[in-house]
Structure formats: C-alpha cells, structure tokens
C-alpha cells in the first residue's frame, strides 16, 4: 500500500512539473499588426530567467477585437485607443493574459498565442 501511495505521489508531482504552461506574461509591444501585436516574450521562453544574450523572442499575440483592455489602475480602454497608443508609444509595456495555458518556447509556432485580456502597465 505504501508503494502504491509513493508511486501515485511521484506521478502527480511529475505531471505538475512536466507542464510548463504559461497563463500570462509581461513584455513590450514591438509592433502592431493586423489582428494582433508582436510582444517581446523572452522571459516566458526562458521560464522567467533573465539572460545576457541580446537575442529577443517575440510572441505574436492574436487580439480579438472584443477582449477587455485596461490600465494597471483599472481604467477600461477601447481597443482602437489601445492600438493607437501601442503604435505611438515606443515599447509600451503590457501584461497579456492568455485564453489558455500555453508552453512558450523558442519554436515560432509555440509563440503564436491568443490574448484573453490585456493590461497596460505603463
């Protein structure tokens, strides 16, 4: 019985460690695209580790027109206002809450994500 309990415990711990899904990340908007944004997401790619390399990892964040956008103070922004601000303000810092937990890696396909909510941090 003890062995079964130990095996089950190891299985549960192993499964929780194996999945490195990201629910949200912070980064600077580097480009405004049709239907989305390019956001610097190197910290998500490197599991929050800051690296000394100059190589940045951009995420293509698909932004449905009806998702909520607000400031850090809780003020709601219209999507058009937010997109204009992102175009005008160099390196606007945002927090992107994802529509589903995603493993973000160096693979370009893993860095195409869909936003559920955006918070302007600056």
């Amino acid at each position: 019985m003890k062995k079964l309990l130990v095996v089950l415990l190891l299985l549960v711990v192993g499964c929780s460690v194996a999945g490195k899904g990201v629910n949200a990340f912070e980064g600077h908007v580097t480009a405004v695209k049709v239907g989305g944004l390019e956001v610097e997401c190197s910290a998500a790619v490197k599991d929050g580790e800051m690296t000394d390399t100059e190589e940045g990892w951009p995420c293509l964040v698909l932004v449905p027109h009806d998702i909520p956008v607000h400031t850090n103070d809780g003020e709601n922004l219209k999507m058009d206002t937010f997109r204009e601000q992102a175009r005008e303000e160099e390196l606007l810092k945002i927090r992107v809450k994802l529509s589903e937990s995603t493993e973000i890696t160096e693979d370009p396909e893993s860095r195409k994500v869909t936003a559920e909510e955006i918070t302007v941090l600056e």
Side-chain angles (χ1 to χ4, degrees):
M1 184 68 176
K2 264 188 180 179
K3 289 181 182 181
L4 179 61
L5 183 60
V6 170
V7 169
L8 288 175
L9 182 62
L10 288 174
L11 182 63
V12 169
V13 170
C15 288
S16 66
V17 172
K20 296 187 272 182
V22 173
N23 295 321
F25 66 89
E26 293 180 8
H28 292 96
V29 177
T30 55
V32 177
K33 310 236 179 207
V34 174
L37 305 167
E38 187 176 276
V39 180
E40 200 285 322
C41 63
S42 297
V45 171
K46 297 296 182 183
D47 280 338
E49 296 174 20
M50 296 312 289
T51 59
D52 292 335
T53 64
E54 292 185 18
E55 182 173 22
W57 299 99
C59 282
L60 176 59
V61 180
L62 303 176
V63 182
H65 195 73
D66 61 344
I67 69 163
V69 178
H70 50 84
T71 66
N72 212 17
D73 299 329
E75 177 186 340
N76 291 327
L77 297 174
K78 292 184 178 185
M79 181 58 71
D80 294 335
T81 303
F82 164 69
R83 289 178 67 79
E84 189 61 35
Q85 182 181 2
R87 274 191 202 93
E88 291 176 1
E89 202 171 311
E90 189 172 321
L91 297 178
L92 177 68
K93 188 167 184 178
I94 63 172
R95 182 180 199 303
V96 179
K97 181 178 177 186
L98 303 177
S99 61
E100 61 183 40
S101 182
T102 306
E103 185 175 354
I104 299 175
T105 66
E106 295 174 6
D107 176 31
E109 285 302 310
S110 76
R111 291 184 279 120
K112 291 180 184 174
V113 297
T114 301
E116 179 177 285
E117 180 181 320
I118 295 177
T119 305
V120 178
L121 299 175
E122 297 178 346

